[in-house]
Amino acid sequence: MFAASAAVMAQEPAVQATPQQPVAAAASPQAQAAEQLDVARKNLARLTDQTKNAADDDSRLAELKVEVDAATKQIISISVATRPRLDEIKARLAELGDPPAEGAPPETDVVSQERKRLLAERGEINALTGTAEDLSIQTTKLSNGITATRRALFSNTLLKHTDINGSMVMDAMASLTLERQAFTRTVGSWLTFAWNFKRLQLLTALFLSLCAALVLLLGTRKLFFPLIHREPLSEEPGYITRLSVAFWSTMIPTAAMAVFAATSYFFLQAFKVLRPDIAPIISATLAICVALLFVSTLSNAVLAPKQSIWRLVRVSDRGARRLALSIFAMAAINGLDYLAGTISEVMGSPVVLTVVKSLIATIITGIILMAMSLIKPIVPAGETLQGQGKPWPRAVFLLFVFTGILLIIAALAGYVGLARFIATQIVMTGAILVTMYIGVLTGKAVAKQNALADTVVGRYLEKRFGLEQVALDQTGLAAGLGIYVLVVLFFIPLILLQWGFQIADIEAWAYRIFTDINIGSIKISIVGILAGILLFAGGYVVTRWFQRWLDGNVMARSRVDTGVRNSVKTGIGYLGIGLAGLIGISAAGFDLSNLALVAGALSLGVGFGLQNIVSNFVSGLILLVERPFKVGDWVVTGTTEGFVKRISVRATEIETFQRQTIMVPNSLFINASVGNWTHKNKLGRSDIPVTVSYDSAPRQVMETLLQIAAIHPLVLKNPEPQAVFTAFGDATMTFELRVYLADIVNGNGVRNDLRLAIYERFKDEGLGAPFPKEELEPETLPPGPEADAVALGAEAAGPATVTTPVPEAFKRSGTQRRPRRVTVDGVGDRD
């Protein structure tokens, strides 16, 4: 307590200097949070009232649920924003300690006032947190209530019972006459209004829609012609080709029609041609056209009634035609029923008329299903597709009959909504599932090895871009994965929409999946991860571009040394990639403070075996900064000798004179001796040893060597060449020609030229061969075992080894020596 009081007293002047600022600064976040909670309370009341008013509107309830969930997240974020200040208050109270006990010395007024202020602020934050929790509970209850209401509304719609009797049918007939008259008046008045007052806008909208349709048709035909064209082949195409053509011949026209319908409706709305009572009818008509095109193209793609070689299922030609016609008839009946229901809703017709329309459509659908059971499409193995065909298998036959009877019985029993829903799902959901199945099979077939090369698209890519087999396989794998993604992202939402879900539901789920995935205490955002990857890729591309620009424009024009250019370019590369990685990690939503854990784990790993990697990494940075050698230098370390081709953070790439690439760890260059022939400059000395017999004149040999060196154009005059008498041999004298070269890298060629010149010059001037070879005279050694051994050794040594007699000088001195072998190549020559 005394220490805390002393610390506070030491800070007392600073506190008293501006007594109001800390309090205001501390109170402002709470005041802001209180205002935000008040706004959230009013928003919750508004959403509650709107939910009560939209109890019968499922689409509106779906939108309200999205707003309620957003309000819940906002309230939680308001509560979370006060936690840092609450933690600060708790920490400060812990520093101040508990109030003095009874009988203890009193604390200073500054400490007492600060404790009271902190306790009051903590109570205010706790009250705000409690308010936020209450509001969060209310919004959660409201969200759950909306979900329950929508579930009940969907169940009531499907299971709603209607008495089917004669009076209801008569009322429907009467309502139908009134509806027909009202529809005729409405459409006629709209056409008259649009032609008299909106003629230019109407014609412009129609013209733009037709242009959009023409562009789509021509564009899709030009771009995707190999994917959707069925060539009149004499042989049956491959399975993958048939799958691909079936899938894309369904997807591309349907997508084109959907875009055309959307643009047409958009242009009509944008030019204010549509009235509120006509817009739903036009929208329903365009949607039905898209659905009918989708079902018809799918049935033609799978059954191929006119081209049996492209058929995906083995059915007879007659069966394929009848099945395609039946499927299109069911789709048309369902579409017309949907349009009729939209017209009844717009015209304000009685509900009984809509029920009778759906009843008739459901009964017709049931009859078509039962009629499909009588089709005989099955072709036994070995028979042609042009034959009569056999009936369905018993299970399929019973399925068609049972489904048709079920629809008719449910409709006549009064459950028209349920029967109508089942009939719609049989057509639309069935078509979507079939398309998904074809898409999955297509992606699987395309992703197989060597599969894409056998297709029309693969041959086109190979011819157009010159792709090889490996590139085609990689392209096929990417295309297969792309087809999977397309199938999931496009068809799953369509199925959900068919089963009563609203667009707002799908958007909320998609937003939650891509932005808010919770795994325990870890929160993952797919969008954030993708954004981080894109930002890292963008930073990587920018870094590489900046490296090339700086190296090729700035440093190249400034005539900077190659080694300096490489070091600068490499350093910029590491810096740019590091920054891109940090930006990508931040954009992905990862807390960079957690990298301390990674650093701790890394430091622990260093002790268990990563020290070599870290040592090489640090050594690579030292080499780039200190630059004891650079790219292009001729270095020697241990048994490795060659030119430096690349310096990375782990190892240095050296290319030997035999064109072998050796990766040398950077730590070896730091911890061992390294020779660099071209460190400061490329100036170097090259030595050529020359060995002659004692019959040669030493001074003449030295003068001749200097003359030969002076003639060569690459030998420097300053420092001047040197000819040195280096050693006496048993039978020879050794000289050394030392020349200086401006570029030591050219030493091999210069030494080769000088050796040739020395040999030719010595031969012309009679100085003797630089490497004398003489046969051993028989009288040198007396006959006997020793002479035989010398002869046998000379014969086994071959032409590269010769024997030399004992020099006369040594004979005169009384010294008797055995003959020795002289190697042709000299000592100390570097090639």
Side-chain angles (χ1 to χ4, degrees):
M1 177 62 67
F2 177 79
S5 301
V8 174
M9 292 177 65
Q11 298 177 358
E12 183 174 355
V15 174
Q16 292 179 353
T18 55
Q20 299 298 328
Q21 292 180 0
V23 177
S28 58
Q30 285 74 29
Q32 185 177 3
E35 293 178 0
Q36 293 176 351
L37 290 176
D38 187 58
V39 173
R41 186 183 295 104
K42 295 178 181 179
N43 187 32
L44 177 60
R46 178 183 62 82
L47 293 175
T48 303
D49 295 338
Q50 291 183 359
T51 301
K52 294 178 181 179
N53 297 330
D56 298 332
D57 189 352
D58 185 68
S59 60
R60 179 55 182 161
L61 288 175
E63 296 174 358
L64 290 174
K65 179 174 172 55
V66 174
E67 295 184 18
V68 171
D69 292 340
T72 303
K73 292 182 179 180
Q74 183 182 6
I75 292 171
I76 293 175
S77 63
I78 295 173
S79 177
V80 170
T82 60
R83 291 179 184 176
R85 179 55 185 168
L86 184 62
D87 295 337
E88 293 177 1
I89 293 174
K90 291 180 179 180
R92 183 56 181 161
L93 289 174
E95 292 178 0
L96 295 178
D98 297 330
E102 185 177 357
E107 58 186 2
T108 61
D109 293 339
V110 175
V111 175
S112 177
Q113 292 177 3
E114 185 175 4
R115 180 182 290 105
K116 291 180 180 179
R117 179 179 61 81
L118 293 175
L119 291 175
E121 188 175 353
R122 185 180 66 178
E124 184 179 358
I125 293 177
N126 290 333
L128 291 175
T129 303
T131 303
E133 291 179 356
D134 293 339
L135 291 177
S136 176
I137 293 173
Q138 295 178 21
T139 53
T140 303
K141 289 182 178 179
L142 180 60
S143 177
N144 295 335
I146 292 175
T147 302
T149 302
R150 294 186 61 201
R151 189 180 297 113
L153 186 62
F154 181 74
S155 301
N156 294 334
T157 302
L158 288 183
L159 301 178
K160 184 178 181 180
H161 182 267
T162 304
D163 294 330
I164 306 298
N165 49 46
S167 61
M168 185 196 72
V169 175
M170 296 302 296
D171 293 341
M173 294 298 103
S175 300
L176 179 61
T177 303
L178 297 176
E179 181 185 277
R180 181 180 58 80
Q181 295 174 356
F183 178 72
T184 304
R185 284 195 308 270
T186 301
V187 174
S189 63
W190 172 69
L191 291 176
T192 302
F193 166 78
W195 185 257
N196 293 333
F197 300 99
K198 296 286 186 177
R199 183 183 308 173
L200 180 61
Q201 293 87 336
L202 176 62
L203 294 177
T204 303
L206 293 177
F207 174 75
L208 293 176
S209 300
L210 291 175
C211 290
L214 184 62
V215 170
L216 285 172
L217 290 176
L218 294 179
T220 54
R221 182 176 180 82
K222 183 176 180 59
L223 293 176
F224 303 103
F225 182 77
L227 298 176
I228 62 178
H229 178 62
R230 295 181 176 181
E231 299 178 359
L233 304 175
S234 58
E235 298 180 358
E236 183 177 345
Y239 180 68
I240 182 176
T241 303
R242 286 183 289 156
L243 278 175
S244 178
V245 170
F247 180 72
W248 293 111
S249 62
T250 301
M251 289 295 300
I252 293 173
T254 303
M257 183 62 188
V259 173
F260 168 69
T263 54
S264 300
Y265 186 78
F266 171 77
F267 288 136
L268 291 174
Q269 283 281 40
F271 290 110
K272 301 186 182 303
V273 177
L274 297 179
R275 293 190 321 207
D277 55 345
I278 295 296
I281 299 175
I282 299 297
S283 176
T285 303
L286 294 174
I288 291 170
C289 292
V290 175
L292 289 177
L293 179 65
F294 169 60
V295 175
S296 62
T297 52
L298 176 62
S299 61
N300 289 327
V302 176
L303 299 172
K306 299 180 181 180
Q307 293 177 301
S308 60
I309 61 175
W310 292 95
R311 196 169 298 159
L312 292 179
V313 292
R314 186 173 175 80
V315 296
S316 63
D317 292 343
R318 180 182 297 179
R321 289 193 296 269
R322 292 183 177 181
L323 285 175
L325 181 61
S326 300
I327 293 172
F328 181 78
M330 285 194 299
I333 292 298
N334 282 274
L336 292 176
D337 179 53
Y338 178 75
L339 179 60
T342 304
I343 293 174
S344 298
E345 183 179 356
V346 172
M347 297 295 104
S349 301
V351 178
V352 66
L353 179 57
T354 304
V355 173
V356 171
K357 291 178 182 178
S358 299
L359 175 65
I360 297 172
T362 304
I363 292 175
I364 295 175
T365 303
I367 294 173
I368 294 174
L369 285 173
M370 289 189 294
M372 290 176 64
S373 66
L374 302 177
I375 299 175
K376 300 179 180 180
I378 304 301
V379 179
E383 296 185 8
T384 61
L385 301 180
Q386 291 79 17
Q388 185 69 24
K390 302 295 182 181
W392 292 103
R394 187 170 183 81
V396 178
F397 172 80
L398 293 177
L399 178 63
F400 279 127
V401 174
F402 176 76
T403 306
I405 294 175
L406 178 64
L407 288 178
I408 296 175
I409 291 176
L412 294 177
Y415 295 99
V416 179
L418 178 61
R420 184 71 191 87
F421 179 78
I422 295 175
T424 302
Q425 303 317 313
I426 290 175
V427 178
M428 296 307 300
T429 305
I432 294 172
L433 290 176
V434 170
T435 307
M436 289 183 64
Y437 183 68
I438 295 175
V440 171
L441 291 180
T442 303
K444 184 178 179 180
V446 170
K448 287 183 178 179
Q449 188 174 6
N450 302 330
L452 185 63
D454 297 333
T455 62
V456 177
V457 177
R459 290 190 291 268
Y460 171 78
L461 293 175
E462 183 178 5
K463 180 180 179 181
R464 177 66 176 83
F465 300 101
L467 299 181
E468 298 180 354
Q469 186 63 46
V470 176
L472 286 175
D473 286 340
Q474 294 175 349
T475 305
L477 180 60
L481 295 176
I483 293 174
Y484 291 152
V485 173
L486 174 65
V487 167
V488 172
L489 295 182
F490 186 78
F491 289 105
I492 295 298
L494 287 181
I495 293 178
L496 294 176
L497 290 175
Q498 291 296 322
W499 283 80
F501 295 95
Q502 300 295 328
I503 296 179
D505 297 326
I506 299 174
E507 292 177 349
W509 292 339
Y511 179 80
R512 193 173 304 162
I513 290 173
F514 286 101
T515 62
D516 190 10
I517 299 177
N518 295 318
I519 303 177
S521 60
I522 301 175
K523 186 175 181 180
I524 300 175
S525 173
I526 297 179
V527 174
I529 293 175
L530 293 177
I533 293 174
L534 291 177
L535 287 175
F536 175 76
Y540 180 83
V541 171
V542 171
T543 300
R544 293 305 184 199
W545 171 83
F546 183 73
Q547 282 181 295
R548 291 192 298 269
W549 176 82
L550 184 64
D551 182 62
N553 291 274
V554 178
M555 292 190 292
R557 296 180 181 180
S558 302
R559 297 182 180 179
V560 180
D561 183 74
T562 305
V564 177
R565 290 168 57 181
N566 178 74
S567 298
V568 173
K569 184 172 67 173
T570 305
I572 290 176
Y574 293 146
L575 179 61
I577 293 175
L579 291 176
L582 292 177
I583 294 174
I585 292 173
S586 300
F590 295 101
D591 189 3
L592 294 179
S593 61
N594 294 331
L595 293 179
L597 300 177
V598 178
L602 181 61
S603 62
L604 181 62
V606 170
F608 288 96
L610 294 180
Q611 62 270 23
N612 290 333
I613 297 177
V614 175
S615 175
N616 290 326
F617 177 78
V618 175
S619 299
L621 296 179
I622 293 173
L623 293 177
L624 290 173
V625 175
E626 187 178 328
R627 298 179 61 247
F629 55 83
K630 56 187 179 298
V631 173
D633 281 358
W634 177 5
V635 297
V636 180
T637 174
T639 59
T640 304
E641 181 177 5
F643 296 100
V644 177
K645 290 298 182 181
R646 184 171 176 267
I647 304 174
S648 62
V649 293
R650 192 197 67 83
T652 297
E653 179 181 333
I654 295 179
E655 184 180 274
T656 65
F657 301 111
Q658 292 80 21
R659 301 297 181 182
Q660 180 188 18
T661 299
I662 299 177
M663 307 301 296
V664 181
N666 290 328
S667 58
L668 296 181
F669 289 104
I670 298 297
N671 300 324
S673 300
V674 180
N676 189 348
W677 285 88
T678 55
H679 179 48
K680 298 296 183 181
N681 50 55
K682 294 184 178 182
L683 176 66
R685 194 186 79 181
S686 184
D687 301 339
I688 302 176
V690 178
T691 304
V692 297
S693 65
Y694 282 98
D695 296 334
S696 302
R699 296 187 183 277
Q700 184 181 359
V701 171
M702 295 173 62
E703 291 177 0
T704 303
L705 291 176
L706 293 176
Q707 292 174 6
I708 293 172
I711 297 174
H712 200 285
L714 296 182
V715 175
L716 296 178
K717 303 299 186 293
N718 185 21
E720 61 183 7
Q722 297 177 357
V724 181
F725 192 162
T726 58
F728 291 100
D730 292 342
T732 59
M733 297 179 291
T734 304
F735 297 84
E736 192 171 69
L737 176 61
R738 300 172 180 176
V739 296
Y740 292 89
L741 305 177
D743 189 353
I744 192 63
V745 178
N746 299 325
N748 286 335
V750 173
R751 286 192 294 271
N752 184 65
D753 296 340
L754 292 177
R755 290 192 188 99
L756 291 174
I758 291 171
Y759 176 79
E760 294 171 354
R761 184 74 175 272
F762 276 34
K763 185 176 181 180
D764 294 341
E765 296 186 4
L767 292 177
F771 300 93
K773 299 180 181 180
E774 298 181 6
E775 295 292 339
L776 180 63
E777 297 180 0
E779 64 272 17
T780 303
L781 292 175
E786 186 175 0
D788 295 337
V790 173
L792 291 174
E795 181 179 1
T801 306
V802 298
T803 58
T804 58
V806 179
E808 293 294 334
F810 290 105
K811 288 181 179 180
R812 289 192 297 269
S813 63
T815 304
Q816 181 70 23
R817 296 181 180 271
R818 295 176 59 86
R820 67 187 304 271
R821 297 173 183 176
V822 180
T823 304
V824 173
D825 292 333
V827 179
D829 190 11
R830 180 181 300 278
D831 284 329

